[in-house]
């Protein structure tokens, strides 16, 4: 229906006037569609959703498993060997390749499903008019003809022809590349070939409302929208690969090259020694298929996606998979105050008027000044009661509405005698709002906002029937006292306006009479203090960035442990005076930023990053979006936040709770640990197989394993046990170590070394068994080699469940899926060795009890060795902290180079619970 990629719109909605559009779409502007009409249209046009261009179906995923060149060559070679040799062997090889492909496909499908579930959770909503009433519905349910209500912060949910616009400004960068806000109107523009960017009476899906409000009628949904026409550019959850996935893909390529080279050497050496060429070819190809970690990136996606799903259940919704990884590296969390650290359950607990400070119940309603204050509370207020009479709106507003109601002032009744004529809405830059009402002989203006914002506009203070002059030092003192009790203080003021009304806002909002201050109490969230302590132990510094008064902010910051008694707050005004370099220096000792404009958040994030910090930053408003996009992890509020902030964020807090961010960091660290464990396991196993087959001829031994055995080991070891590592619980000390430097290689902290030495040790054990068997003339040597290699891997996977704790401490049952996978693998191994029908297929022979005992013992060697490695690590750590008690209080990250140096020293220096981090 719209123009995309030069296609001219057959139905140029922008060329028609609003009334015609409404008529053509069969809808009334004030009532919206009815439920039956919606159902009918929905059946016709389907869901309002963009199908991601890259989405792959199940069949393609399954076929994709066999599209690998090595697998194709292996299949070819197996078929040739079947034709000229043993067809049974070939069939088993093909069956194993199929099974391997099936496991890969199941993994990928699981990842797809987990990602799709995340996408569903992340689906937006739309405010619409239906059946004559406003409602919020899933954006997916919109149909052409729906009337959509737009306000600042909302994403545009479908293509709309605007029918009402009040100061409506849209951000269209995502669609047209225009970086400046675009002013929108409703007048028809009769030019059918008008480019998208110039259709000023349209609002397109994928753009966002930056300011103002408006209404539009849906003219196109889903793939019929302008965005649908260019869906390929969509940045959906899975479209971008995470840095880790990219790094592992690169690593996979290097390993592939090395494995191919080694396999070629093995093939050459084998043929040179007179082994049957076709068998050697199959051996080398099987080894290549087994050793190439083609599944690594897919498994990482599975682990990340499963982790993200678990996080969503804990109220942390991941919007970009890379955020899962980055969470483990976060060094600073910049958090809002209201709602995140507090419960956002405001209650008016104190008043200050010309009479001085009084409890809220003591307000004299017979006094004209008192009555005027109550009118201001009720009228300069955006609360709308719902059908049940319960107030709906911002907690701050609700608290003030309740205060008025408690003194018998009913907003609705009052508005009947003093209807609202105009308003200047609240905005966090101005920190105040104003409403204009019809008064006795003219108009009354009520202003409410932060005292610093309202007091400069005041000329006097209301006292009894008249006014008194302002004593600003007394006011400042009163304000400071209320704020340092942790109260959010709002000033209320009033003025009778001259008629005709002044034209400018500045001329209107002047010569006000102060009515008083109201102190609102908002209790800290009970879990906030513990979450702050966890952050500190984990080497993460929480800082508070709020629009509230410094004293209010500091009181709460001290209460939850963000600031100490000595620390002071830096205000937005002070911040504005600092140069970037000065700000960076100032950051070292500042934990609380107060009266900060959202725009200043961006400066704070940038300055923190310049110091080498990895920043998670919360935000909810339109103006927070740049800071959220700039931070390594933008954290948006799911309850109170705008769509615009959400779009810019990597993580959405469904409960707006600070503790949820800390929980997400913990989960991010666990997931990253488990990815490392999987890499450790898979790469070590592969290297053991390669070493075994590569080194055997140098020791004068025959080829140790048959191709089918190599493929079997790859199937049973890489598949189930590897994936069960995703279920591994977090390590005990996961939140007692410093953040991982983001640039740190997956192979840092001894992983690379581990892969080499354990791979070699495993190969040495296996070759020793082979040498012994061959020398003794034991006909079962190959079955034993095969069994020891499989079982050693099981011992290894159990030992690497923790990077430091012993398995005996963890207990076998703490990861039941892994226990099940290991048990199943062992039983399968026993089956292929002991069940006579399987013996010819796998080239095995039943082992005697003594041989089983030897295999069992030999398979324990790797397990014991890795346990000793961990024990030595624990001992070194113990000594390290005894020798370096300062470790716990080491300053954090003077720069990223130092961070890297610390990263390479591992966890040994991680701060303890008392170890406060500074930077
Ligand atoms: P944070 O969520 O970061 O703690 P905040 O919610 O306090 O910040 P804003 O919502 O920007 O920040 O509010 C800033 C200041 O504006 C408040 O401290 C208060 O003085 C004033 N204010 C807040 N809400 C209103 C409102 N509805 N009407 C008038 N003034 C308000």
């Amino acid at each position: 229906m719209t123009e995309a990629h030069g296609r001219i719109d057959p139905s140029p909605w922008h060329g028609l006037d609003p009334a015609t559009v409404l008529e053509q779409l069969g809808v009334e502007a004030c009532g919206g569609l009815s439920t039956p009409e919606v159902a009918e249209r929905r059946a016709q046009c389907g869901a309002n959703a963009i199908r991601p261009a890259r989405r792959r179906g199940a069949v393609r995923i399954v076929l994709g498993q066999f599209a690998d060149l090595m697998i194709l060559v292996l299949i070819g070679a197996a078929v040739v060997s079947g034709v000229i040799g043993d067809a049974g062997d070939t069939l088993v090889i093909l069956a194993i390749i199929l099974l391997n492909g099936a496991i890969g496909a199941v993994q990928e499908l699981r990842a797809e499903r987990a990602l799709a579930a995340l996408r569903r959770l992340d689906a937006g909503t739309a405010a619409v008019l239906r059946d004559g009433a406003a409602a919020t519905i899933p954006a997916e349910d919109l149909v052409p003809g729906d009337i959509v209500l737009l306000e600042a912060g909302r994403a545009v949910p479908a293509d709309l022809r605007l029918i009402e616009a009040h100061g409506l400004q849209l951000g269209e960068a995502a669609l047209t590349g225009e970086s400046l806000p675009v002013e929108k109107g409703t007048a028809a523009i009769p030019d059918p070939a008008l480019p998208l960017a110039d259709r000023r009476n349209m609002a397109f899906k994928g753009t966002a409302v930056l300011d103002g409000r408006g209404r539009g009628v849906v003219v196109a949904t889903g793939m019929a929208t302008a965005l649908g026409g260019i869906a390929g550019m969509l940045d959906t959850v899975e479209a971008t690969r995470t840095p880790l996935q990219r790094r592992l893909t690169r690593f996979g390529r290097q390993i592939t090259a090395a494995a191919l080279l080694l396999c070629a050497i093995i093939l050459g050496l084998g043929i040179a020694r007179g082994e049957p060429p076709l068998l050697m070819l199959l051996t080398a190809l099987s080894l290549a298929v087994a050793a190439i970690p083609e599944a690594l990136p897919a498994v990482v996606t599975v682990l990340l996606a499963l982790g993200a799903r678990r996080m969503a259940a804990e109220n942390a919704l991941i919007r970009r998979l890379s955020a899962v990884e980055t969470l483990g590296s976060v060094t600073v969390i910049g958090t809002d105050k209201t709602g995140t650290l507090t419960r956002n359950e405001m209650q008016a607990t104190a008043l200050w008027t010309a009479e001085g400070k009084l409890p809220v119940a003591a307000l004299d309603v017979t006094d004209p000044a008192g009555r005027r204050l109550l009118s201001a509370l009720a009228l300069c207020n955006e609360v709308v009661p719902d059908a049940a009479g319960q107030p709906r709106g911002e907690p701050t507003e609700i608290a003030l509405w309740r205060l008025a109601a408690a003194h018998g002032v009913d907003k609705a009744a009052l508005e009947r005698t003093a209807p609202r004529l105009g308003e200047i809405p609240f905005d966090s830059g101005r920190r105040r709002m104003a409403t204009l009402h019809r008064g006795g002989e003219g108009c009354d203006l009520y202003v409410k906002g932060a005292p610093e914002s309202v007091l400069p506009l005041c000329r006097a203070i209301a006292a009894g029937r008249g006014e008194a002059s302002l004593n600003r030092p007394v006011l400042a003192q009163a304000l400071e006292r209320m704020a340092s009790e942790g109260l959010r203080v709002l000033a209320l003021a009033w003025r009778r306006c001259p008629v005709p009304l002044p034209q400018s806002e500045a001329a209107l909002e002047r010569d006000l009479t102060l009515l008083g201050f109201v102190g609102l109490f908002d209790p800290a969230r009970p879990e906030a203090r513990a979450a702050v302590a966890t952050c500190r132990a984990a080497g993460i510094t929480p800082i508070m960035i709020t629009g509230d008064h410094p004293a209010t902010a500091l009181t709460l910051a001290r209460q939850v442990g963000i600031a100490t008694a000595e620390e002071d707050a830096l205000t937005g005004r002070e911040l504005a005076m600092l140069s970037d370099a000065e700000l960076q220096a100032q950051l070292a000792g500042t934990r609380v930023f107060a009266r900060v404009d959202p725009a200043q958040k961006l400066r704070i994030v940038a300055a923190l990053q310049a110091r080498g910090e990895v920043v998670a930053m919360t935000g909810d408003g339109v103006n927070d979006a740049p800071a959220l996009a700039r931070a390594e992890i933008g954290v948006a509020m799911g309850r109170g936040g705008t769509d615009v902030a959400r779009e810019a964020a990597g993580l959405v807090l469904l409960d707006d709770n600070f503790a949820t961010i800390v929980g997400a960091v913990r989960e991010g660290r666990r997931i990253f640990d488990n990815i490392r464990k999987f890499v450790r396991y898979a790469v070590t196993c592969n290297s053991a197989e390669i070493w075994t087959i590569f080194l055997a001829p140098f020791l004068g031994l025959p080829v140790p394993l048959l191709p089918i055995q190599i493929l079997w080991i790859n199937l049973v070891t890489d598949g189930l046990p590897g994936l069960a590592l995703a279920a591994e619980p977090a390590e005990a000390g996961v939140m007692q170590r410093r953040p991982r430097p983001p640039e740190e290689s997956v192979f840092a902290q001894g992983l690379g070394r581990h892969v080499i030495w354990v791979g070699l040790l495993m190969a040495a054990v296996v070759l020793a068994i082979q040498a012994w068997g061959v020398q003794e003339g034991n006909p079962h040597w190959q079955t034993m080699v095969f069994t020891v290699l499989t079982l050693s891997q099981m011992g290894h996977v159990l030992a690497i469940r923790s990077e430091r704790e012993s398995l005996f401490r963890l207990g076998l049952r703490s990861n039941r899926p892994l226990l099940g996978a290991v048990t199943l693998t062992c039983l399968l191994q026993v089956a292929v060795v002991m069940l006579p029908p399987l013996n010819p297929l796998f080239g095995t022979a039943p082992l005697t009890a003594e041989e089983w005992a030897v295999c069992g013992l030999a398979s324990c060697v790797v397990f014991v060795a890795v346990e000793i490695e961990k024990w030595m690590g624990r001992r070194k750590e113990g000594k390290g902290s005894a020798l370096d008690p300062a470790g716990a209080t080491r300053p954090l990250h003077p720069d990223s180079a130092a961070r890297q140096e610390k990263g390479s020293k591992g966890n040994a220096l991680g701060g303890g619970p008392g170890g406060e981090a500074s930077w």
Side-chain angles (χ1 to χ4, degrees):
M1 282 198 225
T2 48
E3 178 194 301
H5 280 327
R7 189 156 55 87
I8 296 297
D9 187 347
S11 157
W13 298 105
H14 61 275
L16 306 176
D17 61 65
T20 318
V21 173
L22 290 168
E23 198 190 308
Q24 285 198 4
L25 289 164
V27 62
E28 300 257 338
C30 48
L33 296 173
S34 67
T35 309
E37 279 167 337
V38 169
E40 198 180 303
R41 292 180 191 208
R42 176 75 201 257
Q44 260 176 24
C45 347
N48 173 33
I50 305 278
R51 288 188 295 280
R54 303 191 187 193
R55 191 82 179 274
R56 296 185 307 154
V59 177
R60 285 189 62 187
I61 289 183
V62 172
L63 287 181
Q65 304 301 315
F66 305 102
D68 190 81
L69 181 66
M70 285 319 291
I71 304 246
L72 291 178
V73 178
L74 178 61
I75 293 176
V79 170
V80 172
S81 96
V83 171
I84 56 174
D86 185 348
D89 264 10
T90 306
L91 286 181
V92 182
I93 291 188
L94 291 180
I96 291 199
I97 296 174
L98 270 178
L99 222 73
N100 221 344
I103 291 185
V106 168
Q107 280 171 17
E108 281 195 34
L109 282 170
R110 264 175 92 188
E112 287 271 330
R113 227 173 308 137
L115 289 171
L118 281 180
R119 261 196 309 270
R120 273 197 301 280
L121 281 176
D122 195 28
T125 58
V128 291
L129 211 57
R130 277 187 183 174
D131 295 315
T136 302
I137 58 161
E140 230 186 69
D141 293 345
L142 281 177
V143 294
D146 260 323
I147 305 286
V148 174
L149 313 176
L150 297 174
E151 60 178 13
R154 275 269 176 203
V156 178
D159 283 359
L160 312 176
R161 168 67 169 89
L162 295 166
I163 54 172
E164 199 183 313
H166 305 278
L168 189 65
Q169 301 212 356
L170 261 59
E172 296 193 330
L175 193 65
T176 63
E178 171 58 61
S179 57
L180 294 176
V182 182
E183 183 109 33
K184 294 282 176 172
T186 58
I189 318 170
D191 173 2
L194 200 66
L196 281 188
D198 294 335
R199 298 188 183 183
R200 295 296 176 103
N201 54 19
M202 298 283 297
F204 295 104
K205 184 175 174 73
T207 63
V209 185
L210 300 181
D211 208 356
R213 60 188 181 83
R215 275 171 197 226
V217 53
V218 174
V219 295
T221 58
M223 294 305 284
T225 59
L227 186 67
I230 45 172
M233 76 175 204
L234 273 193
D235 182 12
T236 51
V237 182
E238 83 277 37
T240 42
R241 304 227 279 162
T242 74
L244 180 65
Q245 282 171 318
R246 281 199 296 271
R247 247 185 283 161
L248 282 178
T249 309
R250 212 167 39 232
F251 162 73
R253 263 188 239 123
Q254 289 159 358
I255 291 257
T256 305
L260 287 180
L261 183 71
L262 283 177
C263 291
I265 297 177
I266 288 170
L267 178 66
L269 282 180
I271 293 175
R273 281 197 329 168
E275 303 276 359
L278 197 56
L279 176 68
M280 263 339 280
L281 181 68
L282 270 180
T283 307
L285 283 171
S286 307
L287 191 59
V289 167
I292 293 171
E294 72 287 335
L296 220 50
V299 171
V300 171
T301 313
V302 175
L303 265 74
L304 290 174
L306 291 182
R309 206 164 62 174
R310 228 171 103 152
M311 284 158 97
E314 306 281 319
N315 288 323
L317 178 62
I318 291 291
R319 296 197 68 249
R320 280 185 255 289
L321 270 196
S322 55
V324 181
E325 239 169 85
T326 318
L327 273 169
S329 300
V330 164
T331 60
V332 175
I333 301 178
T335 172
D336 288 346
K337 173 177 76 68
T338 313
T340 321
L341 289 165
T342 68
R343 292 202 206 180
N344 211 0
E345 289 166 6
M346 306 264 179
Q347 197 193 348
T349 57
L351 279 176
W352 190 93
T353 66
E355 315 273 302
K357 190 175 172 197
L358 30 134
V360 284
L363 183 71
D364 182 1
V365 290
T366 59
D367 174 49
R371 277 210 305 280
R372 183 65 73 185
L373 175 60
L374 290 174
S375 301
L377 291 173
L379 291 174
C380 190
N381 195 311
E382 296 298 350
V383 163
V384 247
D386 62 13
Q390 287 304 309
R392 292 268 164 267
E394 285 285 312
T396 302
E397 307 258 319
I398 292 178
L400 301 178
W401 182 90
R402 286 216 162 102
L403 176 58
H407 285 95
V409 176
D410 175 27
K411 181 180 181 213
L414 204 57
E415 271 179 343
R416 278 195 287 277
T417 51
R420 193 186 279 197
L421 303 175
E423 71 205 33
I424 309 173
F426 171 74
D427 104 69
S428 39
R430 275 168 30 103
R431 296 200 185 91
R432 63 172 184 267
M433 65 176 281
T435 56
L436 189 70
H437 298 262
R438 185 171 303 141
E441 316 91 57
C443 291
D444 289 332
L445 179 79
Y446 291 100
V447 179
K448 144 173 138 262
E452 298 94 314
S453 154
V454 176
L455 286 179
L457 314 174
C458 293
R459 172 184 58 73
I461 180 165
R465 296 196 160 274
E467 321 187 313
S469 58
L470 285 178
N471 185 338
R472 293 190 189 266
V474 170
L475 288 176
Q477 215 178 22
L479 167 63
E480 194 66 29
R481 197 161 324 131
M482 283 170 90
S484 56
E485 286 168 22
L487 300 178
R488 156 175 287 207
V489 185
L490 290 182
L492 288 116
W494 164 81
R495 140 180 221 204
R496 170 115 332 138
C497 293
V499 183
L501 289 173
Q503 286 304 303
S504 73
E505 282 178 11
L508 201 60
E509 292 181 314
R510 55 182 284 198
D511 295 337
L512 303 182
T513 302
L514 180 69
L515 296 168
F517 297 149
V518 182
L520 304 177
F521 178 63
D522 182 13
R525 282 182 182 266
E527 61 278 36
R529 200 177 162 82
V532 167
T534 307
C535 274
R536 292 199 182 287
I540 302 168
T541 308
I543 60 176
M544 181 195 281
I545 302 173
T546 172
D548 220 329
H549 189 277
T552 314
L554 264 179
T555 306
L556 184 86
R558 288 182 183 137
Q559 209 179 327
V560 297
I562 287 186
T564 61
E566 303 79 50
E567 279 164 6
D568 222 347
L570 187 76
T571 63
R573 189 185 293 241
E574 289 161 346
L575 196 150
M577 318 269 264
L578 298 178
S579 69
D580 286 348
E582 285 166 337
L583 174 59
Q584 280 177 40
Q586 187 80 39
L587 283 171
T590 310
R591 299 287 186 278
V592 178
F593 296 82
R595 290 290 189 227
V596 167
D597 292 338
Q600 290 180 319
K601 272 193 186 174
L602 184 61
R603 268 196 81 195
I604 298 177
V605 173
L608 284 166
Q609 287 173 334
R611 291 182 62 95
E613 305 293 344
V614 178
V615 186
M617 177 64 75
T618 68
D620 45 16
V622 176
N623 301 341
D624 289 331
L628 297 191
R630 169 80 191 244
E632 276 80 1
I633 302 217
V635 185
M637 301 298 151
R639 279 196 193 163
T642 57
D643 294 343
V644 175
R646 199 182 161 100
E647 294 289 321
L651 176 70
V652 179
L653 300 182
L654 299 178
D655 59 357
D656 295 8
N657 188 348
F658 177 75
T660 303
I661 312 179
V662 183
V665 168
R666 183 189 167 86
E667 188 62 16
R669 288 187 176 192
R670 181 188 77 90
I671 295 167
F672 196 84
D673 280 356
N674 289 351
I675 290 176
R676 268 175 55 96
K677 283 171 196 170
F678 179 78
V679 172
R680 183 185 291 252
Y681 171 66
V683 180
T684 308
C685 289
N686 293 352
S687 86
E689 286 161 34
I690 293 232
W691 284 130
T692 304
I693 295 176
F694 182 71
L695 293 177
F698 294 100
L699 301 173
L701 295 169
V703 181
L705 294 164
L706 294 175
I708 181 75
Q709 295 169 341
I710 299 174
L711 291 173
W712 172 256
I713 293 174
N714 190 42
L715 174 74
V716 294
T717 56
D718 267 15
L720 288 182
L723 269 187
L725 281 174
E728 190 58 41
E731 300 237 5
V734 72
M735 289 303 267
Q736 256 116 52
R737 59 183 198 223
R738 277 195 313 275
R740 174 183 56 83
E743 63 281 6
E744 183 183 274
S745 142
V746 201
F747 293 92
Q749 306 202 16
L751 199 149
R753 206 175 46 225
H754 177 99
V755 164
I756 293 173
W757 83 256
V758 179
L760 274 172
L761 176 68
M762 220 183 269
V765 172
V766 170
L767 288 172
I769 291 285
Q770 186 189 9
W772 170 77
V774 170
Q775 203 181 20
E776 295 281 304
N778 185 336
H780 297 161
W781 67 260
Q782 194 164 47
T783 305
M784 290 176 76
V785 163
F786 175 39
T787 304
V788 170
L789 195 49
T790 309
L791 299 187
S792 291
Q793 315 228 11
M794 294 304 99
H796 185 227
V797 77
L798 289 175
I800 55 134
R801 277 189 48 201
S802 166
E803 290 196 18
R804 54 188 307 280
E805 294 299 339
S806 109
L807 176 67
F808 303 104
R809 189 135 178 217
L810 294 178
L812 278 174
R813 274 176 299 182
S814 52
N815 184 346
R816 284 171 195 263
L818 185 66
L819 183 62
V822 168
T823 313
L824 182 68
T825 308
C826 293
L827 288 177
L828 286 173
Q829 184 65 25
V830 172
V832 294
V833 171
M834 299 305 281
L835 293 183
L838 296 180
N839 290 150
L841 298 180
F842 286 88
T844 50
L847 298 180
T848 65
E850 293 87 59
E851 285 163 349
W852 270 113
V854 172
C855 287
L857 279 178
S859 306
C860 288
V861 171
V862 167
F863 172 78
V864 172
V866 175
E867 283 294 344
I868 292 176
E869 182 196 26
K870 291 193 292 183
W871 173 75
M872 284 176 15
R874 288 197 296 275
R875 250 183 51 149
K876 212 163 97 189
E877 247 170 59
K879 273 196 192 150
S881 55
L883 288 173
D884 182 14
T889 50
R890 249 166 96 98
L892 270 175
H893 354 291
D895 56 50
S896 55
R899 261 206 344 240
Q900 198 149 27
E901 176 253 334
K902 276 179 296 196
S904 66
K905 289 195 180 164
N907 308 337
L909 297 173
E916 175 169 331
S918 62
W919 66 86

